[in-house]
Amino acid sequence: MKGVSKKYVRRVRRFVEFLGERGIVQRKPKLAIPTLDRWVVEFQDWLRQHRGVTELTIDRHGRMVMRLLPALGSKPRSWNAQLIRDVIIAETKRVSLAYVKTMTMALRGYLRFLTARGVCRAGLDHAVPIIPQWRLSSLPRYISSSDVETLIATCDQTTATGVRDRAILLLLARLGLRAGDILSLRLTDIDWQQATLSVRGKGRRETRLPLPQDAGDALLAYLDQARPHVADVRIFFMSNAPIRPLTGSSAVSDVVRGAIRKAGIPAPSNGANLLRHSAATAMLRGGATLDTVGAVLRHRSPDMTAHYAKVDVTMLLQIAQPWPGDA
């Protein structure tokens, strides 16, 4: 249908589903969900119990392995190194390299799991091709501190959506949270007495971060004025009926994208990570050490934090050597 946005279609679909749940209209039978392979199901349970990864990652790894199974075959004992390589190389011609890189991670984990169960030959995980991706080769995508404040100022605090979006933007900008952090926040994660916020990031590691005054005030305003009265411990909810928690990182990115559009500022990206990168860059330029930035962003490796040193022009000028031949 021409002239109708995808967002509008999604809203209509949710409304029709709501009417179906109430018995007002006849519900369309749902398509059968593809049955997962038995070993894939056990692999997902293994990830859940022993690897400490999120449900989102568990689901993604399961789907990626299922995508590869038709080409690999249903008998893991017959798999060999050549087959593994051929299947992955074939995928590089169909999807992006970034997607294939994640797919190889899922396949390596699956092969190690099958090896531990004794249903495929050992060492096949080493046959999975390495997708070239040079770490720290790009610059962080960020905007200036003044542009961040402009984004936050676009929120209309006379509406429930505006109050919610302002709280989300401030948490992203002040604490460098990920979109997943916003989605997983619970009422019990806030310690008002100590002015801290508990965040469970990658690997289910829990970290308690200081809650800045303006972010805390915005969060309190949302809880007091705009959050729906529902029996659910999750903090952020959709503003439109049917009322439900925010789900999917795209919902948080939509908040950032909408603020960028209203502010009319040029931005190198429009996702939630834009404000995370901007927060790290601002901290570094404000005199914070790399260790401090890494602690706030909850980086596992110092190399990830060192990524931001490339945008600290003031610091780089102090160590830059004169170009040969300059007067």
Side-chain angles (χ1 to χ4, degrees):
M1 185 181 298
K2 295 182 178 180
V4 179
S5 68
K6 293 182 180 179
K7 183 180 292 186
Y8 180 83
V9 173
R10 288 197 298 268
R11 288 174 178 174
V12 173
R13 185 178 293 115
R14 288 198 297 266
F15 181 63
V16 173
E17 290 175 356
F18 171 77
L19 295 178
E21 292 174 355
R22 294 296 186 275
I24 300 175
V25 298
Q26 184 176 1
R27 302 185 67 175
K28 183 179 179 180
K30 295 183 177 180
L31 297 175
I33 300 176
T35 304
L36 290 177
D37 180 87
R38 177 176 72 89
W39 287 115
V40 175
V41 173
E42 293 192 18
F43 170 58
Q44 291 180 311
D45 290 338
W46 177 76
L47 289 175
R48 186 176 294 110
Q49 297 176 20
H50 302 290
R51 304 300 295 176
V53 297
T54 64
E55 288 297 325
L56 182 64
T57 301
I58 292 172
D59 177 68
R60 181 173 64 239
H61 280 29
R63 285 186 287 104
M64 287 183 168
V65 171
M66 286 295 296
R67 175 188 174 101
L68 297 173
L69 285 184
L72 289 172
S74 59
K75 299 179 180 180
R77 295 184 188 279
S78 65
W79 297 351
N80 55 50
Q82 185 63 49
L83 175 64
I84 298 294
R85 286 194 293 269
D86 290 345
V87 168
I88 292 299
I89 291 174
E91 287 295 326
T92 62
K93 301 176 182 178
R94 301 188 185 102
V95 294
S96 68
L97 290 180
Y99 187 87
V100 177
K101 185 176 179 65
T102 306
M103 186 181 292
T104 59
M105 294 170 56
L107 181 57
R108 287 191 191 97
Y110 185 60
L111 291 172
R112 292 175 187 133
F113 164 77
L114 293 180
T115 299
R117 291 293 190 273
V119 295
C120 83
R121 66 182 66 182
L124 282 182
D125 55 300
H126 298 295
V128 179
I130 296 176
I131 305 300
Q133 185 177 21
W134 290 270
R135 298 185 64 186
L136 310 180
S137 61
S138 61
L139 289 173
R141 296 181 176 182
Y142 70 97
I143 55 178
S144 66
S145 297
S146 60
D147 284 344
V148 171
E149 298 307 316
T150 301
L151 289 187
I152 297 171
T154 62
C155 299
D156 183 359
Q157 298 185 64
T158 63
T159 66
T161 300
V163 174
R164 182 204 64 188
D165 290 353
R166 187 170 188 272
I168 291 176
L169 290 174
L170 279 167
L171 289 174
L172 292 172
R174 301 294 187 255
L175 296 177
L177 299 186
R178 300 181 177 94
D181 298 329
I182 297 293
L183 299 176
S184 62
L185 282 178
R186 304 290 190 269
L187 294 172
T188 52
D189 292 332
I190 310 172
D191 188 335
W192 296 110
Q193 295 295 328
Q194 300 296 324
T196 59
L197 187 70
S198 181
V199 179
R200 283 167 294 277
K202 295 182 178 179
R204 300 180 186 176
R205 296 183 305 164
E206 183 172 338
T207 305
R208 188 160 290 277
L209 301 173
L211 186 61
Q213 185 68 48
D214 57 353
D217 290 342
L219 187 55
L220 182 60
Y222 169 68
L223 295 175
D224 185 52
Q225 305 170 18
R227 183 178 181 271
H229 297 284
V230 292
D232 195 308
V233 296
R234 282 170 287 190
I235 292 181
F236 291 107
F237 284 76
M238 300 293 291
S239 300
N240 302 321
I243 302 300
R244 61 203 182 284
L246 289 182
T247 55
S249 299
S250 60
V252 181
S253 293
D254 285 343
V255 173
V256 179
R257 188 177 298 110
I260 292 173
R261 185 178 63 253
K262 292 178 183 177
I265 61 174
S269 66
N270 53 16
N273 271 346
L274 174 68
L275 294 183
R276 178 175 170 86
H277 295 326
S278 300
T281 303
M283 283 188 286
L284 197 60
R285 289 181 170 177
T289 64
L290 287 174
D291 288 341
T292 301
V293 175
V296 174
L297 298 186
R298 293 158 290 140
H299 284 158
R300 293 184 180 183
S301 169
D303 288 343
M304 294 301 299
T305 312
H307 188 38
Y308 296 98
K310 292 186 292 186
V311 296
D312 191 349
V313 179
T314 302
M315 182 180 68
L316 291 176
L317 285 174
Q318 298 175 7
I319 62 175
Q321 299 295 313
W323 188 261
D326 285 354

